[in-house]
């Protein structure tokens, strides 16, 4: 565990020592801040309009009208950012020939893979922590459900973890960071649109597409409904891609 944490710490520091880490953080906070301001102003305007109607004043639900749409757009922002965060995790080591040094050190393959994954998730945690003032403002303006807010952060963290697991896998399979970004984004985009396909398809195919979709399960979480089946799905998804990454990194030992 000590080796894993050391690798994770090294990766977190690397994000703040390179332009990519700062660009991704600035991009995420700028876009999320823009959506936060827009959705909050729209909600405030709609609430003001409905306040003049005694029959509709209590029908505007802050969680459904403001919180859920905001986090829905955050999922899309992460879809673009996470491949950029994971592209260098292994591809850079392979290109710079430092993978051999890492593999010959007294560190197991699982410690390497899990350490790098903890590193990128640590960085994700930092940028998500920078958005904690959003719910504080919402609590000041209205009365959102604290359970919905907590479940929404859990949903974002699980989705980001799934994105990063896919990105790590492709980074381990190539020495070209651009190729890793393109492949990661392409696969994540396919997994994203599977939810739309389930709405158009019918029968057993719709059930299969809905089960495979990463985003459909977010709807329940953003409503504050934390089901064990959804948690198992995301943990299994992340575990599978980390296992594939492990197999690829382990193969470097036998070259």
């Amino acid at each position: 565990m000590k080796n894993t944490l050391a690798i994770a710490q090294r990766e977190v520091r690397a994000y703040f020592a390179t332009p990519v880490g700062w660009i991704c953080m600035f991009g995420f906070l700028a876009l999320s801040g823009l959506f936060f301001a827009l959705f909050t102003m729209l909600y405030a305007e709609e609430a003001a309009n409905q306040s003049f109607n005694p029959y509709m004043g209590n029908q505007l639900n802050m969680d459904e009208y403001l919180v859920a749409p905001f986090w829905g757009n955050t999922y899309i922002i992460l879809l673009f950012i996470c491949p950029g965060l994971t592209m260098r995790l292994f591809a850079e080591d392979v290109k710079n020939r430092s993978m051999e040094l890492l593999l010959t050190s007294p560190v197991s393959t699982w410690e390497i893979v899990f350490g790098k994954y903890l590193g990128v998730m640590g960085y994700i945690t930092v940028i998500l922590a920078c958005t904690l003032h959003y719910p504080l403002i919402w609590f000041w303006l209205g009365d959102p459900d604290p359970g919905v807010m907590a479940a929404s952060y859990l949903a974002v963290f699980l989705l980001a973890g799934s994105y990063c697991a896919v990105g790590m896998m492709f980074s381990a399979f190539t020495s070209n960071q651009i190729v890793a970004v393109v492949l990661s984004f392409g696969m994540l985009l396919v997994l994203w649109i599977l939810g739309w396909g389930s709405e158009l398809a019918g029968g057993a195919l719709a059930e299969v597409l809905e089960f495979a979709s990463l985003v459909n399960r977010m709807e329940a979480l953003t409503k504050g409904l934390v089901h064990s089946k959804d948690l198992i799905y995301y943990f299994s998804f992340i575990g599978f891609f980390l296992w594939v990454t492990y197999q690829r990194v382990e193969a470097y030992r036998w070259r």
Side-chain angles (χ1 to χ4, degrees), residues 61-72 138 144 148-149 152 222:
N61 187 299
M62 190 175 190
D63 296 322
E64 296 180 0
Y65 194 90
L66 174 58
V67 178
F70 168 76
W71 289 117
W138 287 335
V148 171
M149 204 69 66
S152 298
T222 51

Side-chain angles (χ1 to χ4, degrees), residues 235-247:
F235 287 135
S236 300
F237 184 94
I238 294 170
F240 172 76
F241 282 97
L242 291 183
W243 176 79
V244 175
T245 304
Y246 164 82
Q247 296 296 329

Side-chain angles (χ1 to χ4, degrees), residues 190-200 209-210 213-214 216:
V190 170
L191 292 172
W192 179 278
I193 64 178
L194 285 179
W196 301 346
S198 64
E199 298 177 0
L200 300 175
L209 294 177
E210 185 174 1
S213 175
L214 277 173
N216 283 2

Side-chain angles (χ1 to χ4, degrees), residues 5-80:
L5 294 178
I7 294 174
Q9 186 179 22
R10 171 184 173 274
E11 294 300 330
V12 172
R13 288 179 177 176
Y15 283 116
F16 292 101
T18 59
V20 173
W22 289 104
I23 290 173
C24 288
M25 175 176 282
F26 175 79
F28 176 82
L29 294 178
L31 291 174
S32 64
L34 175 63
F35 286 125
F36 169 80
L38 289 176
F39 283 116
T40 302
M41 287 189 295
L42 289 174
Y43 173 81
E45 183 179 354
E46 187 66 20
N49 293 334
Q50 292 193 10
S51 65
F52 294 102
N53 189 332
Y55 299 101
M56 298 186 65
N58 295 325
Q59 295 184 11
L60 190 63
N61 187 299
M62 190 175 190
D63 296 322
E64 296 180 0
Y65 194 90
L66 174 58
V67 178
F70 168 76
W71 289 117
N73 282 273
T74 305
Y75 304 154
I76 300 176
I77 299 174
L78 290 173
L79 181 67
F80 290 91

Side-chain angles (χ1 to χ4, degrees), residues 183-243:
L183 293 177
S184 301
F185 178 76
M187 183 170 182
L188 291 175
L189 186 61
V190 170
L191 292 172
W192 179 278
I193 64 178
L194 285 179
W196 301 346
S198 64
E199 298 177 0
L200 300 175
L205 179 59
E207 295 181 3
V208 172
L209 294 177
E210 185 174 1
F211 176 81
S213 175
L214 277 173
V215 183
N216 283 2
R217 299 172 183 275
M218 292 290 106
E219 296 180 3
L221 288 170
T222 51
K223 294 178 181 178
L225 303 175
V226 182
H227 298 300
S228 58
K229 63 178 181 180
D230 295 332
L231 297 180
I232 292 173
Y233 171 84
Y234 284 109
F235 287 135
S236 300
F237 184 94
I238 294 170
F240 172 76
F241 282 97
L242 291 183
W243 176 79

